[in-house]
Amino acid sequence: MTVTIVGAQLGDEGKGGIVDVYGDAADVVVRYQGGDNAGHTVVHEGEEYKLSLVPSGAVRGKTGVLGNGCVVNPTTLFDELDTLRERGLDPDVRVAERAHVIMPYHRVLDGIEEDAKDDLAAGTTGRGIGPTYEDKAGRRGVRVGDLLDPDVLRDRLEYAVPHKRSLVENFGADPDADRFEGAFDVDELFEEYRALGERLADEEMTVDAGAFLQSHLDRDENVMFEGAQGTSIDIDHGIYPYVTSSNPTAGAAAVGSGVGPTVVGQGEVVGIVKGYLSRVGTGPLPTELGHVEGQTPPEGGDTSETGQALATYIRDEGGEYGTVTGRPRRVGWLDIPMLRHAARVNGFTGLAVNHVDVLAGLDEVKVGHSYTLDGEETTTMPATTEKWGRCEANLRTFDGWPEFDAEQVAQEGYDALPENARTYLEYVSDELDVPIYCVGVGPGREQTVVVEDVWT
Ligand code: GDP
Ligand code: IMO
Ligand code: MG
């Protein structure tokens, strides 16, 4: 069977941790979209692993697949594999031949375009994600399979590179400038990427992802789909244009891996929810507390003394600093209209609510229960980001809960959680009409209250 893990908010909900919690019974863990813009943390026995491309199941020794829907930077992939090997793991990762390759020029263009965009910039991770998906849609991409065939690789580069050079020139830069380190030179790119292709071939890493997964499913094995990013930064269902360039939502698990939607739909789809909101990047955020310079819009955030103090408390307690970029994350109260939207788009069968420990110790915990938009109350996210920016959150207040011993609670089970925390969780579950499958009370596997075993 399959289990699909999807971020319900804006990324960094703790997806890596939940993949790890449920990963023991998985045989294969598959990423179906995104690339090394992801930063997924797994904490086990005090060891912390931050994974960008390698699926989180690697910590438990599971086979990982980067599906055709991913964009793969082979250099960062090999660096990550080498680092994990140095740390004593033995990751077995396969890469879809249909996945697109992030080339050096994509990273350069990501930076140039972000600078030029000004107010429309999403605050990208600078990994070249958007430009690579653009080339995929523009049918001028380089795919992983092309790296293994030198003639095809050269053909692809000879078509794509002049196109990229003229783009850079349009931005007023010289593609041959030293600072671009040969990113726009066909011969240099050809040599470097042909060698990366040889390494992929030598290590027998490339596969037809759909066929590979089907062979595992035919043996009644368990496949877990590990979504990256989150529903509200999905290119179709998120806060466009402050989004990533792929579909983190559950439907993409099929398209991005090469199995049918019925395969994904017959399994579980678990929405990963952070007990409050965090955001790295720009755009509106109706329940935002405090204000992060360079990310919060000029009028955004609760900048009262209490708002600022709560933001600092939550950011520090939750360690809300970007895994990939180290930037301070914007924080806010849980946004229920955002979650109602996510539950419908993804068809969640269960929820994992993380970071319940971070909120412990507050006198009151609030949620945005609904919005007021142009004088009317609304209970889900509007379809345009401009309307979302005009939404005012109608807050609902819950009594806080005290600090508790996370490992003891995780061992004893759900009923050992403080009563007010359970009231909060049950409110979320009722509003979304989706059961709680597990509750994160700390970063580690041993600090997760498992209510439901997803594999039975
Ligand atoms: P992902 O991108 O969704 O996998 O999440 P990240 O790894 O980027 O960010 C989540 C952060 O919160 C990591 O540092 C995790 O170790 C940590 N974390 C995950 N679940 C919990 C939890 O329930 N409580 C606390 N305190 N930290 C958590
Ligand atoms: P994980 O998988 C949080 C955000 C960036 C930016 C926007 C576009 O760890 O949850 P991109 O580099 O993808 O073109 O940037 O998306 N973003 C993330 N935010 N978690 C992530 O991944 C993210 N990946 C991208 O901050 O606003
Ligand atoms: Mg992350």
Side-chain angles (χ1 to χ4, degrees), residues 8-13 232 272-280 284-289 311 314-315 320 329-336 338-339 354-355 359 366 368 371 381 388 424:
Q9 295 150 317
L10 296 146
D12 302 330
E13 300 91 345
S232 280
I272 315 304
V273 176
K274 185 174 269 191
Y276 47 91
L277 274 194
S278 73
R279 161 79 172 140
V280 204
L285 203 59
T287 60
E288 182 163 11
L289 292 164
I314 293 174
R315 187 174 299 118
E320 295 298 350
R329 294 177 181 151
R330 299 161 68 190
V331 295
W333 296 123
L334 196 61
D335 185 321
I336 302 293
M338 180 189 282
L339 292 179
N354 282 325
H355 297 82
L359 297 173
K366 298 189 186 187
Y371 303 137
M381 272 176 106
W388 197 49
Y424 185 75

Side-chain angles (χ1 to χ4, degrees), residues 34-301:
D36 58 347
N37 50 346
H40 294 180
T41 316
V42 174
V43 179
H44 179 54
E45 289 175 348
E47 283 284 306
E48 185 179 69
Y49 299 91
K50 290 194 178 288
L51 303 150
S52 280
L53 262 176
V54 172
S56 300
V59 177
R60 286 190 183 262
K62 307 297 173 176
T63 296
V65 175
L66 299 176
N68 52 278
C70 293
V71 286
V72 181
N73 181 329
T75 310
T76 55
L77 174 61
F78 285 131
D79 285 350
E80 192 169 351
L81 287 169
D82 291 344
T83 307
L84 291 173
R85 284 179 186 134
E86 277 160 25
R87 292 184 68 182
L89 296 183
D90 184 21
D92 169 20
V93 176
R94 313 301 172 94
V95 188
E97 286 169 38
R98 291 184 171 91
H100 280 249
V101 179
I102 300 182
M103 302 297 291
Y105 48 78
H106 291 129
R107 288 176 73 129
V108 171
L109 286 165
D110 195 354
I112 291 182
E113 211 176 329
E114 277 282 284
D115 290 344
K117 268 184 156 176
D118 211 15
D119 278 0
L120 289 177
T124 73
T125 58
R127 300 295 194 267
I129 306 293
T132 308
Y133 280 115
E134 275 179 54
D135 277 354
K136 172 178 177 176
R139 292 161 297 178
R140 70 181 85 81
V142 176
R143 305 206 297 179
V144 167
D146 303 337
L147 301 183
L148 277 56
D149 186 331
D151 292 338
V152 175
L153 175 61
R154 187 166 267 285
D155 274 357
R156 296 284 185 269
L157 290 173
E158 280 176 358
Y159 178 69
V161 172
H163 187 271
K164 303 296 127 185
R165 291 178 67 89
S166 60
L167 260 180
V168 174
E169 283 161 1
N170 280 348
F171 281 108
D174 171 12
D176 295 316
D178 286 350
R179 66 188 167 113
F180 296 141
E181 297 174 346
F184 299 90
D185 182 311
V186 171
D187 291 334
E188 277 193 40
L189 290 168
F190 175 73
E191 287 310 326
E192 187 182 347
Y193 281 76
R194 195 178 59 138
L196 289 164
E198 274 171 16
R199 182 164 172 194
L200 285 167
D202 287 349
E203 299 193 21
E204 295 178 0
M205 288 172 71
T206 60
V207 288
D208 177 336
F212 181 81
L213 293 175
Q214 192 60 51
S215 70
H216 283 271
L217 289 164
D218 287 345
R219 295 198 292 269
D220 279 336
E221 291 187 6
N222 289 330
V223 173
M224 182 176 258
F225 294 101
E226 176 176 357
Q229 291 81 49
T231 304
S232 280
I233 53 172
D234 180 289
I235 191 161
D236 285 280
H237 303 290
I239 50 170
Y240 195 91
Y242 309 107
V243 291
T244 192
S245 300
S246 69
N247 293 114
T249 43
V255 180
S257 72
V259 302
T262 42
V263 172
V264 175
Q266 279 158 17
E268 298 274 3
V269 179
V270 184
I272 315 304
V273 176
K274 185 174 269 191
Y276 47 91
L277 274 194
S278 73
R279 161 79 172 140
V280 204
T282 51
L285 203 59
T287 60
E288 182 163 11
L289 292 164
H291 187 106
V292 175
E293 211 43 53
Q295 295 186 59
T296 308
E299 305 299 312

Side-chain angles (χ1 to χ4, degrees), residues 258-444:
V259 302
T262 42
V263 172
V264 175
Q266 279 158 17
E268 298 274 3
V269 179
V270 184
I272 315 304
V273 176
K274 185 174 269 191
Y276 47 91
L277 274 194
S278 73
R279 161 79 172 140
V280 204
T282 51
L285 203 59
T287 60
E288 182 163 11
L289 292 164
H291 187 106
V292 175
E293 211 43 53
Q295 295 186 59
T296 308
E299 305 299 312
D302 174 356
T303 51
S304 68
E305 210 170 299
T306 323
Q308 299 276 22
L310 278 164
T312 305
Y313 178 85
I314 293 174
R315 187 174 299 118
D316 289 348
E317 288 289 307
E320 295 298 350
Y321 296 89
T323 310
V324 174
T325 59
R327 292 179 286 186
R329 294 177 181 151
R330 299 161 68 190
V331 295
W333 296 123
L334 196 61
D335 185 321
I336 302 293
M338 180 189 282
L339 292 179
R340 290 189 191 103
H341 172 69
R344 181 181 49 75
V345 170
N346 294 293
F348 292 147
T349 57
L351 298 175
V353 184
N354 282 325
H355 297 82
V356 169
D357 55 309
V358 173
L359 297 173
L362 293 173
D363 292 337
E364 290 180 337
V365 176
K366 298 189 186 187
V367 301
H369 175 77
S370 62
Y371 303 137
T372 299
L373 171 61
D374 301 336
E376 304 264 333
E377 187 181 16
T378 173
T379 53
T380 69
M381 272 176 106
T384 76
T385 306
E386 292 64 37
K387 284 188 191 160
W388 197 49
R390 292 205 302 277
C391 284
E392 277 186 33
N394 300 313
L395 298 175
R396 200 175 264 203
T397 304
F398 290 79
D399 289 333
W401 50 91
E403 310 263 358
F404 52 89
D405 182 328
E407 282 184 29
Q408 193 180 332
V409 166
Q411 264 176 18
E412 287 179 21
Y414 183 82
D415 290 338
L417 280 164
E419 190 183 349
N420 290 345
R422 281 183 277 132
T423 305
Y424 185 75
L425 292 165
E426 281 149 31
Y427 158 80
V428 175
S429 171
D430 287 349
E431 287 299 319
L432 307 191
D433 199 19
V434 182
I436 305 269
Y437 278 6
C438 63
V439 183
V441 290

